[in-house]
Amino acid sequence: MTGIINVAIIGAGAAGLGAARELLSRKSKFVFTIYEGTSQVGGTWYYSKKVGKDEFGNPLHTSMYANLKTNLPKQAMAFPGYPFKDSMPSFLRHFDVQNYLADLSNDYKITEHIKFNTRVEEVKVVENNEGKDLWKVTTYDYNIKDRKTETFDAVIVCNGHYFVPNKPGLKGMENFKGKVLHSHNYRVPEDYKDENVVILGARSSGTDIAVDLSATAKQIYISNRGKKLQSTLPEKVEEKPMISQLKEDSVVFDDGSEVSCDTFIFSTGYKYQFPFLDSTNLIKSKERVTPLYKHLIHIEHPTLSFIGLCYLICPFPMFHYQAAYAVGVLDGRVKLPSKEEMLADEHQDLDERLMEGMQENHAHWMGLRQWGYNDELADGCGAERLSYLVKQAYELATERKRMDLVNYKNDVFVYSKEKNCYVLKE
């Protein structure tokens, strides 16, 4: 693109702030506006006691609960070049991360570019006289009750993917008389005092909530379809196999065992949703976001990008590299392959996952893949690669979590000059 490039960013969570920071680093080439549906930055990290809808009737994006601490240490979480404060613990409370993001927004003078309480209703692609894509973005400003449509050269989607709960169908759920919720709406353990709670899902949110509940609930059962947990669990927490069916006041598991149940919690992940794209045909599948090159750049319309779709990652560092690459595409520093080559790359990435036994809805799952992916993006846009210390801190925390779910968040990570890596403070 030539001339000043006008960009719309959707969302002022961590991904949106990361995109804005990158655009500001090249302010001679870009102008931008961030549309944020709430009154503050932070996205999912902004804790609210409320569940369901916000004051405007829109889904609450926060998945935070009162006692939440991060499951990664701060040493693996920060945006490159903007570390968390030394005075903060290794494993942060949700408000620590929210304050960090607010500070980042203010320190980089991002906040002045944000239109708060403004919902993006529709994004449509049109062609200009030269046959190039332009984007019509329709928004509604709740502050002044005004709807308007503006034209942009590019759109960066950063609306998050932790606000539309995934609830798989279960036999007998319609007969169950107890409380049913998704982990998205879990807030305080006191709400479940002396209850028998069954949690479906034994990944991070499921195990973390089980540990949190162990202080107040009568008994907690975690239904796990994966490998058996290696960690010791609180006395009140018991691991169980997959669920066979629900009855009026109990849950039956695949091994034939049956337990009484007052509250049933889905800890089964989330669905991708982009309501502002519903009237378009830009997204071809509900199971994954496609067609995208490198989980990021829309193959048919490269001035549309999506930051933050990947999961099981160190999020802020990845957002940094995705933003750098996407902005490089816009200002011409990154030369994309042909459309056919990008589609082939996307298909190969998915095929590799399917051959490993994953499902299509795992298309954006990363895990160990994240490190090569980050390096590929960094090399592609001329950015400095992520420090090896981030990976090392991530791996140390992952191993500690695997062995000690109850206590690992009390660990203190310190850098050892002698070993040139992070170690646990004794």
Side-chain angles (χ1 to χ4, degrees):
M1 287 187 180
T2 58
I4 300 296
I5 302 168
N6 191 14
V7 182
I9 299 175
I10 302 175
L17 297 178
R21 186 174 77 140
E22 188 63 30
L23 289 172
L24 283 170
S25 73
R26 300 179 181 276
K27 62 175 63 176
S28 64
K29 296 186 177 182
F30 294 97
V31 294
F32 67 93
T33 303
I34 304 178
Y35 296 103
E36 168 54 45
T38 69
S39 60
Q40 67 283 316
V41 303
T44 192
W45 290 101
Y46 185 81
Y47 172 73
S48 172
K49 293 180 180 179
K50 293 181 180 179
V51 297
K53 305 286 187 179
D54 64 16
E55 64 267 38
F56 306 122
N58 300 316
L60 280 168
H61 276 229
T62 184
S63 296
M64 300 296 107
Y65 56 90
N67 296 329
L68 182 141
K69 294 173 73 174
T70 58
N71 56 23
L72 291 175
K74 66 181 181 182
Q75 291 84 353
M77 285 192 61
F79 280 100
Y82 196 77
F84 285 90
K85 295 176 181 177
D86 290 341
S87 59
M88 290 182 173
S90 293
F91 290 85
L92 306 165
R93 297 291 298 272
H94 54 75
F95 51 77
D96 293 322
V97 182
Q98 166 64 23
N99 290 337
Y100 167 86
L101 293 173
D103 289 344
L104 182 145
S105 184
N106 291 327
D107 290 347
Y108 282 92
K109 296 181 169 49
I110 297 170
T111 309
E112 61 199 61
H113 295 269
I114 304 174
K115 290 189 175 182
F116 291 105
N117 295 326
T118 302
R119 177 178 174 81
V120 176
E121 294 186 332
E122 188 174 55
V123 174
K124 282 190 172 182
V125 62
V126 296
E127 288 187 356
N128 64 10
N129 294 333
E130 300 174 352
K132 296 181 179 179
D133 287 345
L134 291 175
W135 299 92
K136 297 288 187 181
V137 179
T138 301
T139 59
Y140 185 80
D141 187 333
Y142 292 102
N143 298 307
I144 57 176
K145 296 180 173 57
D146 178 58
R147 179 175 286 105
K148 66 168 61 174
T149 300
E150 300 167 275
T151 303
F152 293 89
D153 299 304
V155 174
I156 303 178
V157 178
C158 306
N159 69 321
H161 56 89
Y162 295 117
F163 65 98
V164 181
N166 176 47
K167 294 182 180 180
L170 294 172
K171 182 181 178 181
M173 178 57 77
E174 69 279 6
N175 301 319
F176 182 64
K177 302 301 183 184
K179 293 181 289 187
V180 178
L181 68 147
H182 189 276
S183 59
H184 180 67
N185 291 330
Y186 174 80
R187 292 295 183 267
V188 293
E190 289 76 15
D191 288 345
Y192 311 92
K193 183 176 175 57
D194 297 328
E195 290 188 356
N196 290 319
V197 180
V198 174
I199 301 173
L200 175 58
R203 296 239 175 164
S204 293
S205 60
T207 54
D208 285 355
I209 288 173
V211 172
D212 194 45
L213 281 169
S214 65
T216 60
K218 181 179 180 181
Q219 185 70 31
I220 305 104
Y221 303 94
I222 306 178
S223 173
N224 181 13
R225 71 174 180 179
K227 294 180 180 179
K228 184 174 177 60
L229 298 172
Q230 290 184 264
S231 171
T232 55
L233 298 172
E235 185 178 349
K236 294 181 180 179
V237 179
E238 181 180 348
E239 185 178 0
K240 303 290 280 185
M242 287 298 291
I243 292 169
S244 172
Q245 66 173 312
L246 282 79
K247 297 182 178 179
E248 285 193 3
D249 57 3
S250 65
V251 175
V252 182
F253 297 95
D254 280 352
D255 62 358
S257 62
E258 183 173 351
V259 300
S260 63
C261 179
D262 301 296
T263 294
F264 188 93
I265 301 178
F266 285 96
S267 182
T268 44
Y270 296 83
K271 298 178 180 180
Y272 295 103
Q273 190 174 94
F274 311 96
F276 43 84
L277 295 176
D278 283 351
S279 65
T280 73
N281 193 35
L282 292 169
I283 303 301
K284 309 297 186 186
S285 171
K286 296 296 184 183
E287 296 296 319
R288 59 190 174 109
V289 185
T290 181
L292 292 186
Y293 181 60
K294 304 301 180 188
H295 308 272
L296 176 63
I297 305 296
H298 198 286
I299 293 173
E300 296 172 356
H301 303 280
T303 52
L304 174 65
S305 56
F306 295 76
I307 294 177
L309 298 179
C310 301
Y311 59 98
L312 201 62
I313 59 170
C314 293
F316 299 178
M318 183 176 287
F319 298 167
H320 169 76
Y321 289 107
Q322 289 183 323
Y325 193 91
V327 170
V329 170
L330 295 180
D331 68 15
R333 289 176 295 116
V334 175
K335 305 299 182 184
L336 293 174
S338 69
K339 177 180 175 181
E340 291 72 23
E341 289 173 314
M342 289 191 286
L343 286 170
D345 183 88
E346 183 191 37
H347 292 157
Q348 180 181 347
D349 184 79
L350 178 61
D351 286 345
E352 289 175 357
R353 295 164 190 272
L354 296 177
M355 289 179 66
E356 292 176 15
M358 298 184 190
Q359 303 298 314
E360 185 180 352
N361 60 3
H362 294 147
H364 306 296
W365 182 95
M366 281 293 180
L368 295 178
R369 285 177 166 86
Q370 66 182 301
W371 312 116
Y373 174 77
N374 287 339
D375 286 347
E376 189 175 8
L377 294 184
D379 295 347
C381 65
E384 182 180 348
R385 286 188 173 190
L386 186 65
S387 168
Y388 74 93
L389 288 170
V390 174
K391 178 183 178 182
Q392 187 262 323
Y394 175 92
E395 291 175 341
L396 178 57
T398 300
E399 179 61 18
R400 284 285 298 128
K401 175 184 176 181
R402 185 175 67 86
M403 300 306 299
D404 192 356
L405 280 166
V406 178
N407 299 304
Y408 81 99
K409 293 185 181 183
N410 297 320
D411 290 346
V412 177
F413 282 50
V414 294
Y415 176 71
S416 168
K417 289 185 179 180
E418 180 182 353
K419 296 181 178 180
N420 196 25
C421 66
Y422 289 111
V423 297
L424 300 183
K425 185 177 181 180
E426 295 181 358

